């Protein structure tokens, strides 16, 4: 799931979007594109054009003479960068958010002939001073790139589309110039370049960036809109508001400093609703609860799909927690028995037809079905959707361990292995799992795509299922008293929700996307690294109820934090509602629309929910009623919208997320003060 995965799959010649550039390695060269936006009411994308190609002609000729093309080598990688040896003598430090693309000849240890080519014609290739270390490259496309060199470089025009520089040894940096007024800033900060970058999750609700650098002066990087929202005042950085690059993720703004501190408001995962249930709604919930629990005995899970099976056990686990909240403990033993019978076989390896196995090659879990069929379990065997599937299982395990601590202790190793598949923070040497398999520490959200090469890079459809995965991991931490897991999972939960609100939820007048796309959409179907789609993997754009539903399911207590803005929720429901008149719309999808309608019109939503004949396979009438009867007046409880209020009162014995996380935050503040 890494941001540079296209460089590692198949021939490695698909582009990757390493903000603000699309970069592609091919034929012993590095192709650099400052992408232009291509958009319509149904999609928003960035087109790749090889604006500049940096290469070594002698390396390309040697590879051709040997009868084999050069395949790049990934020489190093970390959270924020990848180092690419794209020819035998040229190395690129590709650092996310750098306005410069940095290429070094140092691995050659000898002067290298350099070629700089373009699909455009060069109108100008001129030094900007006598040092021959600063050059302006102007093309007939209307674009201007600036080139900086650590030593004098002599560029001459071999043809209208190619420049040659003989015998260079050192570092070259190229930067697109969006506006002439930005030239002085690029000049000032061209001397220091990053070679690596790490993101640390050492503190609750914090991500700390640090870059390894070389050269002189201060480090200039670019921040996307969510970075800017989260940049802490104690970062000791300087934001250059007028220094901006265009991006599919919104304007990228200049930030000076080689260490950033990103802080998000605390989000405390709770077992139960944070608002509490209205007293007059309890009898209706209890009546539905008793029926849904009775139905467990006669509704065996027949699927062997890890995804749908996970949804089924998580749906049952919700009934136990709702029973706790409405004071109906007598139904919990039946739920406990169902969960024990259905979850345990996946943990002890006795489930017939499927199961989880460890894959030492990629360091993760696969399913038995997925080992022989890449399409089985939605591609789980090739690492698609891991956090979705496992999140449902982890939720059920967390609840079962909560209501049956003895069972939890017995199956703790399997539970921890399952959550480690997507929650390992520091794998270290010989670790079983990769670091944060699905979470992108620069974009601050997850990717769902597995080991599949796509021209538009990584992708994710359902942000709410990603939120559910980290929320469930936090609940597992609560069950086992693991403060580090609670802290890390709660932090990722908070970040995933903020990213969903930034890039998936589209409000009227939003400026991130182009006007035609924004005007036609209130939620993105699929976010790709380099594209936005209004359609889904399983539904066309006009099935708006599916687009809304896939960004809400499953309905759990953290969902109210994912959709805290009643005004936007009303926009979203109004945009979706006409689609419900289409023939063939299922009641399960309607239920999610009514759930959000309940945020601002509880009584109308209740009337519609009561008339539903069926529910999504991860939802129940009990759960839908629980949600609607726990809706308050929009905006009346800001603390509840932040996931804070009421949690201490409803969390069961064994401690609350509040207590654990507040203790950690207090300790952090104490250390900071000291």
């Amino acid at each position: 799931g890494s941001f540079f995965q296209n460089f590692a799959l198949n021939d490695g010649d698909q582009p990757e979007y390493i903000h603000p550039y699309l970069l592609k390695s091919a034929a012993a060269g590095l192709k650099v594109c400052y992408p232009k936006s291509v958009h319509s009411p149904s999609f928003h994308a960035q087109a790749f054009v090889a604006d500049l190609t940096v290469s070594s002609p002698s390396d390309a000729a040697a590879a051709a003479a040997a009868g084999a093309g050069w395949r790049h080598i990934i020489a190093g990688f970390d959270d924020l960068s990848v180092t690419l040896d794209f020819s035998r003598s040229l190395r690129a430090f590709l650092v996310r958010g750098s306005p410069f693309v940095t290429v070094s000849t140092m691995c050659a240890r000898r002067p290298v002939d350099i070629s700089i080519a373009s699909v455009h014609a060069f109108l100008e290739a001129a030094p900007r001073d006598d040092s021959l270390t600063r050059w302006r490259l102007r093309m007939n496309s209307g674009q201007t790139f600036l080139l900086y060199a650590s030593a004098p470089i002599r560029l001459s025009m071999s043809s209208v589309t190619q420049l040659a520089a003989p015998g260079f040894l050192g570092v070259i940096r190229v930067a697109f110039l969006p506006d002439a007024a930005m030239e002085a800033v690029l000049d000032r900060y061209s001397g220091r370049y990053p070679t690596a970058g790490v993101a640390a999750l050492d503190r609750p609700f914090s991500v700390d960036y640090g870059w390894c650098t070389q050269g002189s002066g201060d480090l200039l990087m670019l921040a996307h809109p969510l970075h800017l929202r989260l940049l802490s005042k104690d970062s000791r950085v300087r934001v250059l508001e007028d220094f901006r690059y265009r991006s599919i993720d919104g304007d990228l703004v200049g930030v000076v400093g080689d260490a950033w501190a990103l802080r998000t408001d605390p989000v405390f995962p709770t077992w139960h609703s944070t608002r509490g249930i209205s007293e007059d709604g309890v009898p209706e919930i209890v009546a539905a609860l008793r029926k849904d629990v009775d139905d467990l005995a006669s509704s065996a899970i027949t699927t062997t799909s890890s995804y749908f099976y996970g949804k089924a056990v998580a749906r049952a686990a919700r009934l136990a927690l709702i029973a706790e909240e409405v004071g109906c403990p007598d139904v919990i033993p039946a739920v406990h028995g169902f969960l024990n019978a259905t979850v345990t076989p996946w943990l002890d390896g006795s489930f017939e037809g499927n199961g989880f196995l460890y894959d030492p090659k990629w360091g993760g879990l696969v399913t038995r079905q997925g080992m022989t069929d890449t399409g089985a379990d939605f591609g789980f065997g090739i690492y698609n959707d891991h956090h979705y599937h496992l999140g449902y299982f982890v939720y059920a395990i967390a609840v079962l361990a909560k209501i049956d601590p003895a069972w939890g202790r017995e199956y703790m190793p399997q539970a921890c292995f399952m959550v480690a598949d997507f929650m390992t923070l520091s794998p270290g040497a010989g670790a079983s799992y990769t670091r944060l398999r699905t979470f992108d520490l620069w974009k601050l959200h997850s990717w769902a795509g597995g080991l599949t090469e796509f021209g538009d890079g990584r992708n994710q459809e359902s942000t709410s299922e990603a939120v559910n995965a980290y929320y469930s991991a936090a609940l597992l931490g609560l069950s086992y008293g693991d403060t580090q897991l609670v802290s890390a999972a709660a932090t990722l939960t908070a970040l995933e929700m903020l990213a969903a609100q930034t890039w998936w939820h589209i409000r009227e007048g939003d400026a991130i996307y182009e006007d035609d796309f924004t005007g036609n959409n209130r939620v993105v179907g699929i976010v790709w690294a380099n594209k936005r789609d209004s359609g889904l993997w399983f539904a066309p754009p006009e099935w708006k109820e599916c687009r809304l539903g896939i960004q809400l399911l499953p309905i759990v207590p953290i969902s109210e934090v994912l959709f805290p803005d009643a005004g936007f929720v009303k926009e979203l429901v109004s945009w979706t509602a006409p689609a419900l008149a289409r023939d063939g719309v299922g009641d399960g999808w309607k239920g999610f629309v009514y759930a959000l309608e309940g945020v601002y019109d509880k009584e109308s939503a209740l009337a519609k929910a009561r008339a539903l004949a069926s529910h999504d396979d991860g939802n129940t009438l009990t759960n839908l009623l629980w949600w609607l009867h726990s809706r308050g007046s929009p905006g009346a409880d800001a603390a509840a919208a932040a996931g804070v209020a009421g949690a201490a009162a409803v969390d069961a014995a064994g401690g609350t997320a509040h207590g654990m996380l507040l203790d950690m935050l207090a300790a952090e503040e104490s250390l900071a003060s000291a």
Side-chain angles (χ1 to χ4, degrees):
S2 295
F3 68 94
F4 59 88
Q5 184 172 285
N6 273 351
F7 294 158
L9 296 177
N10 301 324
D11 291 333
D13 59 355
Q14 289 296 317
E16 285 288 17
Y17 187 42
I18 301 178
H19 300 65
Y21 301 105
L22 275 171
L23 297 161
K24 187 175 182 179
S25 171
L30 182 69
K31 299 178 183 296
V32 180
C33 169
Y34 181 66
K36 293 184 178 180
S37 179
V38 180
H39 52 90
S40 75
S42 61
F43 74 92
H44 184 204
Q46 296 183 140
F48 180 87
V49 175
D51 294 321
L52 289 179
T53 300
V54 181
S55 64
S56 165
S58 58
D59 285 349
W70 169 265
R71 287 194 175 189
H72 62 247
I73 295 171
I74 297 172
F77 64 90
D78 47 47
D79 299 327
L80 306 178
S81 76
V82 58
T83 301
L84 210 66
D85 290 351
F86 61 92
S87 82
R88 289 179 173 83
S89 56
L90 296 178
R91 168 172 290 178
F93 300 107
L94 306 180
V95 183
R96 309 176 79 182
S98 174
F100 303 90
V101 176
T102 304
V103 175
S104 171
T105 67
M106 295 308 183
C107 55
R109 301 183 183 280
R110 57 177 176 75
V112 178
D113 293 341
I114 302 293
S115 167
I116 298 176
S118 177
V119 297
H120 315 296
F122 288 104
L123 301 180
E124 178 187 8
R128 295 163 54 215
D129 56 35
D130 294 338
S131 71
L132 299 181
T133 59
R134 297 181 180 185
W135 290 71
R136 178 179 289 104
L137 311 179
R138 190 166 56 87
M139 287 95 96
N140 67 349
S141 60
Q143 297 171 301
T144 298
F145 281 80
L146 302 178
L147 184 147
Y148 301 87
S150 61
I153 187 170
R154 298 182 182 276
L155 292 172
S156 60
M157 194 170 291
S158 301
S159 72
V160 72
T161 61
Q162 187 169 24
L163 308 176
F168 178 77
L169 184 64
V171 173
I172 295 170
R173 308 192 78 193
V174 293
F176 176 74
L177 181 63
D179 187 288
M182 295 166 59
E183 184 169 329
V185 177
L186 290 167
D187 286 352
R188 179 177 178 181
Y189 297 107
S190 62
R192 180 166 292 275
Y193 60 94
T195 58
V198 176
L201 288 166
D202 298 331
R203 297 179 286 177
F205 308 110
S206 301
V207 184
D208 295 299
Y209 289 173
W211 287 274
C212 298
T213 63
Q214 295 184 27
S216 60
D218 294 325
L219 179 66
L220 172 65
M221 300 296 289
L222 299 171
H224 60 56
L226 187 50
H227 287 147
L228 294 172
R229 178 175 175 180
L230 300 179
L231 264 177
S232 173
K233 293 179 180 178
D234 64 3
S235 290
R236 298 178 183 177
V237 299
R238 186 158 59 92
V239 177
L240 308 179
E241 289 288 352
D242 295 327
F243 186 86
R244 293 174 178 260
Y245 279 72
R246 185 187 64 250
S247 159
I248 195 170
D249 295 304
D251 281 357
L252 306 175
V253 178
V255 177
V256 178
D258 56 11
W260 297 4
L262 306 176
R263 302 285 184 270
T264 176
D265 291 335
V267 171
F268 299 103
T270 63
W271 296 104
H272 308 105
S273 64
T274 55
R275 296 177 182 270
I277 297 170
S278 61
E279 187 176 344
D280 59 353
V282 171
E284 185 178 19
I285 296 173
V286 169
L289 174 65
R290 293 191 181 281
K291 183 180 185 306
D292 283 333
V293 172
D294 287 345
D295 287 346
L296 291 177
S298 59
S299 57
I301 304 175
T302 57
T303 181
T304 60
S305 160
S306 57
Y307 176 73
F308 291 113
Y309 200 104
K311 289 183 74 174
V313 294
R315 174 187 62 197
R318 288 289 307 132
L319 299 177
L321 295 180
I322 293 171
E324 286 182 347
E325 193 169 354
V326 298
C328 193
D330 58 296
V331 304
I332 294 178
V335 180
H336 170 267
F338 179 87
L339 291 175
N340 192 11
T342 54
V343 174
T344 304
W346 284 79
L347 302 186
D348 65 17
S350 64
F351 181 72
E352 295 184 3
N354 208 352
F356 292 116
L357 302 170
Y358 179 72
D359 168 26
K361 178 178 180 179
W362 291 96
L365 297 180
V366 294
T367 56
R368 186 172 283 112
Q369 292 179 161
M371 287 184 66
T372 56
D373 180 1
T374 58
D377 297 321
F378 295 101
F380 192 91
I382 54 172
Y383 292 88
N384 287 353
D385 301 347
H386 267 219
H387 52 328
Y388 295 171
H389 297 225
L390 295 175
Y392 286 116
F393 275 94
V394 169
Y395 185 91
I397 292 167
V399 173
L400 189 49
K402 178 181 187 292
I403 62 180
D404 186 351
W407 181 93
R409 288 190 295 272
E410 181 178 356
Y411 290 99
M412 184 176 179
Q414 291 93 327
C416 291
F417 255 61
M418 191 173 287
V419 79
D421 177 85
F422 64 94
M423 277 297 302
T424 295
L425 295 182
S426 302
S432 297
Y433 295 105
T434 190
R435 171 168 161 85
L436 287 179
R437 183 180 310 283
T438 57
F439 196 84
D440 185 325
L441 284 161
W442 198 81
K443 278 298 298 293
L444 303 176
H445 64 73
S446 300
W447 298 114
L451 298 173
T452 306
E453 182 184 56
F454 289 109
D456 289 312
R458 310 292 76 70
N459 71 84
Q460 178 162 267
E461 186 175 60
S462 176
T463 56
S464 52
E465 288 179 300
V467 169
N468 180 67
Y470 303 116
Y471 165 66
S472 298
L475 295 185
L476 189 72
L478 288 178
S479 288
Y480 287 131
D482 185 338
T483 57
Q484 294 300 320
L485 178 56
V486 173
S487 173
T491 300
L492 297 184
T493 301
L495 293 171
E496 190 81 45
M497 289 190 291
L498 289 172
Q501 292 157 10
T502 302
W503 289 299
W504 276 262
H505 301 177
I506 306 176
R507 294 158 178 81
E508 287 188 21
D510 274 357
I512 285 184
Y513 303 131
E514 299 291 346
D515 290 345
D516 54 354
F517 186 78
T518 296
N520 199 53
N521 298 280
R522 285 295 161 268
V523 66
V524 178
I526 303 172
V527 164
W528 298 78
N530 191 44
K531 186 182 180 184
R532 304 294 183 263
D533 269 328
S534 56
L536 302 170
W537 287 111
F538 63 93
E542 58 268 22
W543 291 17
K544 295 179 179 180
E545 77 286 354
C546 294
R547 271 202 269 172
L548 178 149
I550 205 67
Q551 303 300 340
L552 175 60
L553 63 84
I555 299 174
V556 288
I558 204 69
S559 302
E560 62 190 21
V561 195
L562 180 57
F563 288 93
D565 181 350
F568 170 66
V569 169
K570 191 170 185 178
E571 277 186 43
L572 179 55
V573 173
S574 297
W575 171 83
T576 306
L580 300 185
R582 193 184 68 255
D583 288 342
V585 176
D587 277 6
W589 295 110
K590 290 179 181 178
F592 295 119
V593 180
Y594 302 155
L596 284 188
E597 184 181 0
V599 170
Y600 61 89
D601 193 342
K602 174 178 168 180
E603 294 306 319
S604 173
L606 276 169
K608 294 173 183 176
R610 291 166 183 146
L612 292 173
S614 62
H615 300 276
D616 178 73
D617 50 11
N619 201 19
T620 60
L621 177 60
T622 300
N623 195 47
L624 188 52
L625 291 173
W626 161 85
W627 169 267
L628 293 173
H629 283 299
S630 59
R631 300 305 90 213
S633 301
D637 191 348
V644 177
V650 296
D651 271 3
T656 67
H658 282 73
M660 287 183 172
L661 291 171
L662 286 174
D663 286 349
M664 296 181 76
L665 287 167
E668 177 191 324
E669 290 176 1
S670 177
L671 285 171
S673 298

